[in-house]
Amino acid sequence: MSFTVSPTGAACGAMINGLDLSRPLDSATVAAVREVWLEHKVVVFPDQSLSDDDLERFSRYFGDFAGDPYIASMEDRPNIIELRRTADETSPIFADSWHTDWSFGETPPAATILYGITIPPHGGNTDFINQELALREMPEELRRRLRDKVALHSAQRAYAPDGIYGEQDSGKGRGFKILASDEAYKVQPHPIIRPHPETGNESIFGCIGYILGFQDMDPDDSMALLMDLYRWQTREQFQYQHEWQPGMLVMWDNRAVLHKANGGYEGHERVLHRTVIK
């Protein structure tokens, strides 16, 4: 099957037109899509009309499902999470700080896939930052300070009982269930600069939200380095700000980008279905 690729013109991201994801794709097409995804890190398929069966079939082209450690899946779809925010919901916007999904795991996921079902008329962008580009353009002095550093990742600030989505968040009327747990206190080391497992390109992996500090480093010095890194890696020149439309499917590479959600659609419902790939 043939398709067209239109880069966003931003630091990452490309639109793929000409594919109907409600129909099976042949292996050559899947391989071609994977190449575009690896190159552009975020790929967008507009004007889709997908059932949950379609979403699961497309997701499986790219690997096995990874599940989710802290968010409940749909009752009849264990591989899909429904991210729903009702029109009158007043809880804080979920995932509105920069992160890469589950960097606190031993083997963080490759891809996250979001399908837009109910999209507000304004607001609700998902923003991305190209961490390969941020590393490539990083000042040598900062890169020297990061060289060979191992970051200590943990979900505790978010999903521990005393985290922002723990006990203080329960009862706020979210449109989906968060599963806070003591498991979130676990700490997982990852090199802060690491090669992509498929392309070999070096990238920054993670940022301060899921990183407690650096291994074998004074806590104050560690925090100072994390903040210097954060100020660099989140610069607007490395960003792509994605504007949603109903029927869009977006897939991004967790190994090469950071992302965050945004609000700005108060009084409107928003519903997306999400899968995560090992």
Side-chain angles (χ1 to χ4, degrees), residues 235-260:
R235 287 188 171 199
E236 189 171 351
Q237 70 204 67
F238 308 133
Q239 294 184 27
Y240 161 51
Q241 298 171 348
H242 176 69
E243 297 182 8
W244 285 91
Q245 294 177 6
M248 273 183 169
L249 183 141
V250 179
M251 178 172 70
W252 65 87
D253 190 338
N254 281 296
R255 303 160 296 185
V257 299
L258 300 175
H259 67 280
K260 74 178 182 73

Side-chain angles (χ1 to χ4, degrees), residues 7-226:
T8 63
C12 58
M15 295 277 181
I16 293 181
N17 287 282
L19 292 179
D20 179 358
L21 303 185
S22 69
R23 304 175 63 184
L25 304 180
D26 59 58
S27 59
T29 301
V30 172
V33 168
R34 191 177 195 100
E35 286 187 10
V36 175
W37 171 59
L38 290 174
E39 178 183 355
H40 294 281
K41 300 165 183 58
V42 183
V43 289
V44 181
F45 301 83
D47 303 320
Q48 303 295 320
S49 181
L50 305 181
S51 68
D52 285 336
D53 284 341
D54 298 329
L55 176 59
E56 289 188 337
R57 183 184 60 251
F58 176 82
S59 300
R60 285 193 184 98
Y61 293 142
F62 299 93
D64 295 329
F65 291 110
D68 194 304
Y70 299 113
I71 305 175
S73 60
M74 298 171 66
E75 288 187 8
D76 59 341
R77 295 279 176 171
N79 298 313
I80 297 178
I81 291 168
E82 182 174 83
L83 297 175
R84 177 182 295 271
R85 187 175 179 89
T86 61
D88 59 355
E89 187 173 325
T90 58
S91 63
I93 295 294
F94 179 71
D96 64 344
S97 58
W98 293 112
H99 65 288
T100 182
D101 285 336
W102 316 352
S103 67
F104 47 78
E106 184 177 355
T107 54
T112 299
I113 300 172
L114 267 184
Y115 176 58
I117 298 172
T118 303
I119 301 300
H122 52 76
N125 286 6
T126 301
D127 295 341
F128 299 92
I129 316 181
N130 184 339
Q131 294 300 284
E132 285 184 14
L133 181 61
L135 179 63
R136 194 159 61 241
E137 298 191 1
M138 180 180 288
E140 180 55 35
E141 190 273 337
L142 179 55
R143 183 158 184 159
R144 178 191 58 77
R145 292 167 64 199
L146 291 168
R147 191 169 293 130
D148 300 323
K149 292 291 191 297
V150 174
L152 301 173
H153 295 245
S154 174
Q156 61 186 254
R157 292 185 182 129
Y159 298 113
D162 58 353
I164 59 173
Y165 300 121
E167 293 171 0
Q168 67 171 342
D169 191 73
S170 63
K172 290 188 175 180
R174 287 199 182 275
F176 54 93
K177 185 177 181 181
I178 296 177
L179 307 171
S181 166
D182 287 339
E183 288 289 305
Y185 291 114
K186 291 182 177 179
V187 176
Q188 178 65 46
H190 292 295
I192 191 63
I193 297 174
R194 65 176 199 169
H196 192 286
E198 293 186 70
T199 68
N201 297 334
E202 284 193 328
S203 177
I204 305 164
F205 184 66
C207 70
I208 195 168
Y210 284 148
I211 297 178
L212 304 178
F214 292 105
Q215 200 170 66
D216 303 322
M217 193 172 179
D218 174 82
D220 290 341
D221 292 342
S222 183
M223 184 57 63
L225 180 54
L226 273 175

